[in-house]
Amino acid sequence: MTSEIQTRVLRKITWRIVPFIMLLYFVAFIDRVNIGFASLTMNKDIGLSPAVYGFGAGIFFWGYFLFEVPSNIILHKLGARIWIARVMITWGLVSAAMAFVQGATSFYILRFLLGVAEAGFFPGIILYLSYWFPARQRAAVTALFMAAAPLSTVLGSPISGALLEMDGLLGFKGWQWLFVLEALPAVVLGFVVLGFLTDRPEKAKWLAEDERRWLVETMNLETTSKAATASHSIWRGLADPRVLALSLIYFGTSAGLYTLGVWAPQIIKQFGLSSLQVGFLNALPATAAVIAMILWARHSDRTGERTWHVVWACLIAAAGLAYAGLATGVVAVLLALALVNIGISSAKPPLWSMPTLFLSGPAAAAGIATINSIGNLGGFVGPAMIGWIKDQTGSFVGGLYFVSGLLVLSAALTLLLSRVKIAPVEPVPQTH
């Protein structure tokens, strides 16, 4: 039976932390993938070919790759409050500057700088959650946080489509308004973070004394219990073969995720729809993904099983991408994109529950950032390959099949990783 204080504390920290970090990720993801909607008119305005656009959209992740590990180590040492605020303010300013790109070179430079500015946000939040939530509840909490990504598509797609309709207002293009107006919330929220976010449970004055004591003792006990098997040093976290395996698994899921963000609007628009129509239709598959990922993560926590929850989700996404390559009508494409959205979104919470089972302290900061930085290179490879193949063939089909294959590989690697010993997760006890 779950203790009364556990129920009370988990409810309180969930309501205090999760909605806020969801809002931050919501804004982050819009600024990361609004390039997909901007491309509907921007590419023609500044002369970007599909190959140049795909490469530039994906070069964001090279900035991520180079700066993510040091960023997360700084967060672990300096504290989430100051560092997350820095991240948000700088990425908001760079994202707004995207309104002034004039060609391929400035497009490449600003997308790279956006990756540098945002490096550390996502793995920093994953690390932050490991300070506050026991392992048994972490997949469900991670799912709530990560639901902000598909939610940003649900709500952001119609908004982005509508902003494109502002074309000509005050002499600016619609895509320029899109970049500026969608960047402002990041800057504002960066300053809010300074006053709202609490670095560690020990500093949580918004918890009662007995609640704070229970949470600190629980998290310290969890850290102690894995001390014999967990990697603690930065170099152990970087060198652990399980970190490399999870990086490669995440590579495939990132390729799928950013294929959606960067190319889905163009895939839908090829059926002759307006930008506003594309905005509303692009929101539908992501709506299904929000519901599916939360239910899937809860089932993973309830059963204590991670491997097959990742495997099946990756295979569903792979099937959706393959089907999208065959689809000849807008309804079929939307069904295919729904499968991709559901699979990609559902794979991530159980996947992100794995590293903190065998990493602790500085090793967790370095290991999580390594998984995210290497894995997110899939966000470069997927969109870039689709752009290059479309330039060569005039079709999205070959690129979609390529990314589908990466997701099948992720599923296979997850099964191989399951043969390596990772600390077991106890099923969440049922309340009575």
Side-chain angles (χ1 to χ4, degrees):
M1 181 178 292
T2 305
S3 69
E4 185 274 335
I5 191 169
Q6 174 180 319
T7 302
R8 176 159 36 100
V9 172
L10 290 176
R11 182 186 299 118
K12 188 174 287 190
I13 61 176
T14 298
W15 279 108
R16 168 79 183 197
I17 293 172
V18 175
F20 185 65
I21 62 172
M22 283 183 68
L23 176 61
L24 302 186
Y25 192 40
F26 177 92
V27 172
F29 205 81
I30 284 181
D31 287 344
R32 189 183 297 182
V33 302
N34 59 9
I35 192 73
F37 273 91
S39 71
L40 297 178
T41 55
M42 177 188 72
N43 288 7
K44 182 179 179 180
D45 287 344
I46 62 176
L48 301 183
S49 70
V52 169
Y53 165 70
F55 182 84
I59 206 173
F60 168 94
F61 295 102
W62 282 106
Y64 230 78
F65 174 75
L66 293 172
F67 289 90
E68 194 151 21
V69 172
S71 180
N72 222 33
I73 292 171
I74 292 171
L75 182 147
H76 181 69
K77 293 181 178 296
L78 191 62
R81 184 178 66 88
I82 293 174
W83 197 245
I84 293 296
R86 192 287 304 165
V87 168
M88 296 197 64
I89 292 168
T90 53
W91 104 50
L93 294 174
V94 175
S95 185
M98 285 289 298
F100 304 101
V101 296
Q102 297 180 349
T105 301
S106 57
F107 180 56
Y108 290 162
I109 291 171
L110 283 173
R111 284 296 291 179
F112 176 80
L113 290 177
L114 186 62
V116 172
E118 197 180 321
F121 174 77
F122 180 84
I125 295 296
I126 296 295
L127 180 64
Y128 183 71
L129 292 175
S130 75
Y131 299 155
W132 292 86
F133 293 92
R136 291 185 306 182
Q137 285 80 25
R138 211 167 288 150
V141 171
T142 303
L144 288 173
F145 161 59
M146 295 186 68
L151 274 174
S152 73
T153 303
V154 173
L155 301 177
S157 292
I159 293 172
S160 295
L163 290 176
L164 288 178
E165 301 296 323
M166 296 174 65
D167 194 64
L169 182 64
L170 301 180
F172 291 100
K173 300 288 188 178
W175 57 269
Q176 293 177 303
W177 282 112
L178 182 153
F179 282 128
V180 171
L181 294 179
E182 292 188 347
L184 288 177
V187 178
V188 173
L189 284 170
F191 289 101
V192 175
V193 166
L194 288 171
F196 187 83
L197 214 60
T198 306
D199 284 329
R200 295 273 190 161
E202 293 86 343
K203 299 180 179 180
K205 295 180 180 180
W206 41 271
L207 288 175
E209 179 63 33
D210 62 328
E211 295 170 341
R212 186 163 57 249
R213 188 186 317 113
W214 177 88
L215 181 58
V216 170
E217 290 175 354
T218 298
M219 299 312 296
N220 286 343
L221 181 63
E222 185 172 288
T223 300
T224 302
S225 68
K226 64 182 180 182
T229 57
S231 297
H232 298 276
S233 74
I234 290 173
W235 295 112
R236 288 287 299 278
L238 293 172
D240 195 308
R242 294 169 293 187
V243 168
L244 178 59
L246 287 169
S247 300
L248 296 175
I249 294 166
Y250 195 52
F251 185 97
T253 64
S254 294
L257 178 65
Y258 293 104
T259 290
L260 290 174
V262 171
W263 287 107
Q266 291 197 40
I267 292 172
I268 296 171
K269 191 176 175 63
Q270 66 183 334
F271 295 99
L273 303 170
S274 70
S275 296
L276 192 59
Q277 289 172 324
V278 171
F280 281 103
L281 290 177
N282 195 52
L284 297 178
T287 304
V290 174
I291 299 169
M293 75 181 296
I294 293 173
L295 294 177
W296 196 243
R298 286 180 178 175
H299 187 267
S300 178
D301 272 349
R302 191 164 58 248
T303 60
E305 202 285 326
R306 303 302 191 206
T307 298
W308 284 103
H309 282 80
V310 176
V311 169
W312 281 114
C314 286
L315 293 177
I316 288 170
L321 284 164
Y323 180 39
L326 299 172
T328 56
V330 66
V331 174
V333 163
L334 288 175
L335 288 174
L337 293 177
L339 287 176
V340 182
N341 272 273
I342 288 170
I344 294 295
S345 297
S346 297
K348 288 176 178 287
L351 176 60
W352 277 113
S353 298
M354 294 179 180
T356 51
L357 296 176
F358 60 89
L359 297 172
S360 181
I368 290 170
T370 300
I371 293 166
N372 201 51
S373 60
I374 295 175
N376 265 322
L377 289 178
F380 167 77
V381 172
M385 284 299 295
I386 287 180
W388 181 78
I389 292 172
K390 189 174 191 298
D391 253 6
Q392 303 303 310
T393 66
S395 170
F396 288 108
V397 175
L400 292 172
Y401 286 168
F402 173 80
V403 180
S404 177
L406 291 179
L407 280 156
V408 172
L409 182 60
S410 290
L413 287 171
T414 305
L415 287 176
L416 288 175
L417 181 62
S418 68
R419 297 178 178 271
V420 179
K421 184 174 178 57
I422 294 180
V425 181
E426 297 178 18
V428 174
Q430 302 298 303
T431 56
H432 299 286

